[in-house]
Amino acid sequence: MVKRIVDLRSDTVTKPTETMRAAMEGAEVGDDVLEHDPTAFHLESEMAKIMGKEAGLFVPSGTMANLISVLVHCESRGSEVILGHNSHIHIYENGGISTLGGVHPRTVKNNDDGTMDIDLIEAAIRDPKEEIVFPTTRLICLENTHCNHGGRCLSVEYTDRVGQITKKHGLKLHIDGARIFNASVALGVPVDRLVQAADSVSVCLSKGLGAPVGSVIVGSNSFIAKARRLRKTLGGGMRQIGILCAAALVALQENLPKLESDHKKARLLADGLNKIQGLRVCTSSVETNIIYVEIEESSGTTAIKLCKDLEEYGILLKQTGLSRLRVVLHHQISESDVQFALSCFQKAVNGVQNENGN
Amino acid sequence: MLVIVCFYFLPLCNTVIAIEIGHFFFIKIFSKFLDCFSVAEKMVTRTVDLRSDTVTKPTEAMRAAMATAEVDDDVLGYDPTAFRLETEMAKRMGKEAALFVPSGTMGNLISVLTHCDIRGSEVILGDNCHIFIYENGGISTIGGVHPRTVKNNSDGTMDLDLIEAAIRDPSGEIVYPTTRLICLENTHANSGGKCLSAEYTDQVGELAKKHDLKLHIDGARIFNSSVALGVPVDRLVRAADSVSVCLSKGIGAPVGSVIVGSKSFIAKARRLRKTLGGGMRQVGVIAAAALVALQENVGKLESDHKKARLLADGLNEMKGLRVDPVETNIVYVEIEEGLHISAGKIVKNLEERGILVMDASPSRFNSSFNNIQSTDSIFVNCCSMLLREGKVKMATSGRKI
């Protein structure tokens, strides 16, 4: 019997649709290093337009997009970047900005909502007068939506305020916008308005938008020109990439409108999970497509055990702590999958409780 | 000065290349000797893109494979098609494991940085090799590895005694970096696609072992070398700890390279690939095309070499042109001074006639050309893949590097 699998580990697991596959098969291509692959050019122009920036650059991953952005803004040796202590760049990108780029990170505490206090950001900016002992702050990074803080959205007002701080101090602002479209949809703010204050944004196409591969960096013409060169240096200069860009263009068209429904399913699942005795979800924190599930002691189970039990039912999730699980919704998870997942959670938790004689 | 012209040949079976005659005076001579080409007049009806073997476009079979590829998240787990490709490549190359990467540059960068993962490392490589000249100095600017160059001979080798002399004496370590790696390049692009023999490679391998160093081969065109030498590719690279192999050049896949090496090397390489940003998700889409390319096109490399030799012979017979001996799919053509025409002009004239070429003069190092420093010349990179498919279209203006 074919087991039903509901893969809630991440929105990166989305597989290309029939339309994407057809687009990939028929894509017009060229050598993107020698010149410009025409489909890549089309995607990059389109993304730049959507994000309200001058130019765009297709890259193999969000990690490379952030790495390039930080390294281009901080191209002088002795640079420092301010970013959240719990941001993706700081936690999940192998420390590449330092180990490869020689940039020093200065972390500021992320609040539960993904923001950093403005006064703490400002306090972290190095005083140029002390430069004999300090690195030079050049960049502030925000993350929207904020992955480790439950996919929460940074408002346009907050983003603008951080932008003002950067301008006041002659710094740049980069937004890790892997899930920026989720933020835009959830906030009801056009995406170009949302990132208006930013000098650069990295946007993932392979997450909720569902393309098989890639991200796009957007910024000024001169920024993107430098980014293109650094992309080559890092080894991201691919040849006939129109194939992947064709899928990304389809993703933009087809799946952007589906993000709202991903958020609805997330809220449905969150409410349902919160009702299960032994589990707790801060439902008010579920703003987009990410849910963190706390496993209460009374449940008698742990994150590892629950993950394993659920896997046997065909539900795949990520364990993010001893008693914490992460669930991510995407367009290839149906409402019926959500209901199925809920029933499996209930069974798994009940099963444990029965084991423990509860 | 050397100008690069890359030639893609139409399949020679009863089809011809239309080459415009015009005011380009030596085309008259050209046509006399090229009786296998018919020469058309005036209008450019087709483009012959000879800039590089990277311009190869995916075939129908590749496109079909891409459209139906079985995929999964290659970061969270394993994309099954990428896994199949990596397994196949490891087997072919006689190594334990393999890793698919977006480009040859990343293949080499990862390999150097993984072998030289300790701060203060040095790598010995040719002064005219691709890693040193055309990879943005990434091993240093990104990886902090110090390069120690040794003169490349015109056949792509480096003298063994010069390599050995370049290895840092550990007793001098207070002032020296630590040599950890030697890199070879096979075929050697800047030397005209010359092959390094298995014997030479083995000798360098022995030297590496003697001094407890690793050996990496930039094998972007290793299959060309294997075919030209008649040596199985796994035998050719046996002495190497790692090899980077391009699938997007003569093999014709749209994207990617594969690094091969030991299991532990590849495990580290995978992590560094993620760090560099090369961790792609449903990468099976492009791995599927690469699998088709491996199946379909390795067998065609010999014919690319034949066509290259044909072109070389034809050009060599023209007064004012001189062609180095050709071993694989790359042809260097030098324009002797008496021709009184610059490389740039020739490149332009050719482009007007639908032949896209590359001017690579500044990349040549002087020592090879002491006797012809005053000449302009055309560097010819001969790549037949596109023409093999008979796919041509109107010229779009190619940006010259």
Side-chain angles (χ1 to χ4, degrees):
Chain A
M1 191 175 75
V2 178
K3 193 163 76 169
R4 178 182 185 173
I5 302 280
V6 179
D7 194 344
L8 301 167
R9 290 172 300 165
S10 177
D11 45 6
T12 55
V13 307
T14 48
K15 293 197 165 101
T17 61
E18 287 311 315
T19 346
M20 284 183 208
R21 286 177 180 273
M24 289 191 284
E25 186 169 11
E28 196 195 345
V29 297
D31 188 321
D32 198 56
V33 172
L34 286 191
E35 53 221 352
H36 221 145
D37 176 287
T39 309
F41 182 72
H42 181 191
L43 173 69
E44 289 163 354
S45 308
E46 186 62 25
M47 283 297 296
K49 192 163 129 222
I50 292 173
M51 309 293 293
K53 303 297 176 197
E54 287 178 356
L57 183 72
F58 180 79
V59 290
S61 67
T63 295
M64 192 184 281
N66 287 328
L67 182 61
I68 287 176
S69 300
V70 172
L71 266 50
V72 172
H73 288 305
C74 299
E75 60 185 356
S76 309
R77 190 178 301 104
S79 294
E80 187 164 83
V81 55
I82 292 172
L83 71 180
H85 82 294
N86 206 15
S87 65
H88 195 274
I89 295 174
H90 191 64
I91 302 290
Y92 297 120
E93 299 188 9
N94 310 82
I97 60 167
S98 305
T99 64
L100 298 176
V103 179
H104 198 249
R106 185 97 191 257
T107 55
V108 170
K109 187 175 165 308
N110 275 124
N111 301 315
D112 286 342
D113 61 0
T115 60
M116 296 174 278
D117 288 351
I118 300 279
D119 55 347
L120 291 182
I121 295 176
E122 200 153 18
I125 298 172
R126 303 281 192 163
D127 184 344
K129 289 204 299 294
E130 300 279 350
E131 69 172 18
I132 191 72
V133 290
F134 286 167
T136 306
T137 311
R138 296 201 190 276
L139 177 67
I140 301 176
C141 286
L142 296 177
E143 185 181 329
N144 196 5
T145 65
H146 201 283
C147 174
N148 267 0
H149 289 280
R152 306 273 302 261
C153 307
L154 304 187
S155 69
V156 64
E157 294 77 23
Y158 175 78
T159 308
D160 285 352
R161 278 178 65 203
V162 176
Q164 279 157 22
I165 299 288
T166 62
K167 286 204 166 26
K168 176 178 164 193
H169 294 272
L171 310 177
K172 299 291 186 190
L173 174 61
H174 170 71
I175 296 179
D176 175 357
R179 297 184 175 96
I180 193 72
F181 284 111
N182 292 76
S184 162
V185 161
L187 293 169
V189 175
V191 74
D192 56 345
R193 177 63 190 92
L194 192 50
V195 303
Q196 194 177 53
D199 295 284
S200 60
V201 190
S202 59
V203 186
C204 261
L205 302 165
S206 67
K207 293 191 168 73
L209 292 178
V213 171
S215 287
V216 175
I217 312 170
V218 292
S220 70
N221 280 328
S222 62
F223 174 84
I224 292 297
K226 290 182 176 178
R228 187 177 294 276
R229 189 183 189 195
L230 184 55
R231 181 187 71 173
K232 184 80 177 75
T233 307
L234 292 170
M238 297 184 282
R239 303 286 173 173
Q240 284 75 30
I241 48 161
I243 292 153
L244 301 173
C245 294
L249 280 161
V250 170
L252 271 175
Q253 254 181 311
E254 286 190 344
N255 296 331
L256 200 35
K258 295 182 187 169
L259 293 179
E260 177 54 53
S261 128
D262 292 348
H263 301 171
K264 278 205 181 87
K265 284 175 234 162
R267 283 193 293 272
L268 198 72
L269 183 55
D271 289 341
L273 289 172
N274 203 27
K275 293 196 175 99
I276 297 175
Q277 218 172 35
L279 301 179
R280 198 183 71 237
V281 176
C282 179
T283 50
S284 59
S285 301
V286 175
E287 295 178 9
T288 56
N289 65 331
I290 298 180
I291 307 168
Y292 279 97
V293 184
E294 303 287 341
I295 301 165
E296 290 173 331
E297 222 178 297
S298 58
S299 69
T301 187
T302 60
I304 294 184
K305 183 156 191 338
L306 190 52
C307 245
K308 216 165 162 295
D309 292 342
L310 284 164
E311 199 181 326
E312 275 162 38
Y313 287 121
I315 311 293
L316 306 179
L317 330 152
K318 242 195 178 165
Q319 176 215 345
T320 59
L322 285 174
S323 53
R324 207 169 183 237
L325 298 171
R326 189 187 81 163
V327 170
V328 184
L329 278 296
H330 52 82
H331 76 98
Q332 286 171 340
I333 300 289
S334 65
E335 273 202 38
S336 125
D337 288 332
V338 169
Q339 295 302 339
F340 177 67
L342 273 173
S343 70
C344 294
F345 261 96
Q346 186 71 76
K347 272 192 282 195
V349 172
N350 285 347
V352 171
Q353 289 175 337
N354 288 338
E355 269 172 40
N356 296 347
N358 288 345
Chain B
M1 196 170 60
L2 208 66
V3 168
I4 301 177
V5 173
C6 303
F7 279 92
Y8 283 88
F9 285 88
L10 286 164
L12 288 182
C13 47
N14 302 323
T15 60
V16 295
I17 297 175
I19 297 176
E20 182 188 359
I21 44 171
H23 311 291
F24 199 24
F25 76 92
F26 73 72
I27 285 290
K28 291 178 193 161
I29 309 169
F30 197 90
S31 63
K32 241 201 254 178
F33 294 94
L34 297 176
D35 53 7
C36 49
F37 302 104
S38 87
V39 183
E41 288 207 313
K42 287 295 178 209
M43 275 309 289
V44 176
T45 54
R46 40 182 41 171
T47 297
V48 182
D49 191 345
L50 306 171
R51 291 170 296 164
S52 175
D53 47 5
T54 56
V55 306
T56 49
K57 293 198 166 103
T59 60
E60 289 308 319
M62 286 182 211
R63 286 176 180 273
M66 288 190 284
T68 54
E70 195 194 346
V71 296
D72 209 332
D73 189 321
D74 198 51
V75 172
L76 284 192
Y78 263 115
D79 176 285
T81 308
F83 184 73
R84 262 179 52 220
L85 173 68
E86 288 162 354
T87 307
E88 175 67 22
M89 282 298 294
K91 189 164 132 221
R92 284 208 196 201
M93 308 293 292
K95 303 296 177 197
E96 287 178 358
L99 185 72
F100 181 77
V101 290
S103 67
T105 294
M106 194 185 280
N108 288 327
L109 183 60
I110 287 176
S111 299
V112 173
L113 266 50
T114 300
H115 288 304
C116 299
D117 59 358
I118 299 174
R119 191 181 300 106
S121 294
E122 186 164 84
V123 56
I124 292 171
L125 69 181
D127 68 344
N128 201 19
C129 71
H130 196 273
I131 295 174
F132 187 69
I133 302 290
Y134 297 120
E135 299 189 8
N136 310 83
I139 59 168
S140 304
T141 64
I142 302 290
V145 180
H146 198 250
R148 185 95 190 263
T149 56
V150 170
K151 187 179 164 306
N152 272 123
N153 301 316
S154 59
D155 62 359
T157 59
M158 297 175 276
D159 288 351
L160 287 167
D161 55 346
L162 291 182
I163 297 176
E164 195 155 24
I167 298 171
R168 302 283 192 162
D169 184 346
S171 65
E173 72 172 18
I174 190 71
V175 290
Y176 289 164
T178 305
T179 311
R180 294 196 192 278
L181 177 68
I182 302 173
C183 287
L184 295 177
E185 183 182 329
N186 195 4
T187 65
H188 199 275
N190 268 3
S191 305
K194 298 277 164 56
C195 307
L196 304 187
S197 67
E199 294 73 27
Y200 174 78
T201 307
D202 287 352
Q203 283 176 307
V204 177
E206 277 156 28
L207 193 58
K209 278 195 170 35
K210 177 178 165 194
H211 294 272
D212 200 29
L213 309 177
K214 300 292 185 190
L215 173 61
H216 170 72
I217 296 178
D218 175 357
R221 297 184 175 95
I222 193 72
F223 282 109
N224 292 77
S225 186
S226 160
V227 159
L229 293 171
V231 174
V233 72
D234 56 345
R235 174 62 189 91
L236 193 51
V237 302
R238 197 165 67 188
D241 295 283
S242 60
V243 190
S244 58
V245 187
C246 259
L247 301 168
S248 66
K249 293 191 167 73
I251 310 281
V255 171
S257 287
V258 175
I259 313 170
V260 294
S262 71
K263 283 205 178 93
S264 62
F265 173 83
I266 292 298
K268 289 182 177 177
R270 186 177 297 273
R271 190 182 187 195
L272 184 53
R273 179 187 71 173
K274 184 80 178 76
T275 308
L276 288 165
M280 296 183 280
R281 301 288 174 171
Q282 284 73 31
V283 77
V285 168
I286 40 186
L291 277 162
V292 170
L294 269 176
Q295 258 179 308
E296 288 189 342
N297 295 331
V298 175
K300 296 180 186 171
L301 293 177
E302 178 53 55
S303 127
D304 291 352
H305 300 170
K306 277 203 182 90
K307 289 171 211 163
R309 283 192 292 271
L310 195 72
L311 174 69
D313 290 345
L315 292 172
N316 217 10
E317 284 172 22
M318 294 183 197
K319 199 166 158 190
L321 299 181
R322 204 182 72 227
V323 180
D324 284 353
V326 166
E327 294 182 12
T328 56
N329 67 330
I330 298 180
V331 177
Y332 275 84
V333 179
E334 288 161 29
I335 303 169
E336 288 167 345
E337 208 181 322
L339 219 48
H340 298 299
I341 183 166
S342 74
K345 190 83 180 53
I346 289 178
V347 166
K348 208 167 172 300
N349 286 344
L350 284 168
E351 192 182 344
E352 281 163 21
R353 289 153 179 80
I355 313 281
L356 304 182
V357 305
M358 209 188 281
D359 182 343
S361 330
S363 72
R364 297 292 291 185
F365 59 98
N366 287 336
S367 57
S368 277
F369 298 93
N370 286 336
N371 57 343
I372 50 154
Q373 268 171 358
S374 56
T375 63
D376 281 344
S377 47
I378 298 179
F379 167 77
V380 179
N381 186 341
C382 204
C383 317
S384 317
M385 263 289 310
L386 264 193
L387 300 181
R388 183 187 307 150
E389 292 138 34
K391 285 198 174 108
V392 289
K393 59 176 171 63
M394 280 305 294
T396 53
S397 94
R399 179 179 62 112
K400 288 185 280 291
I401 296 172

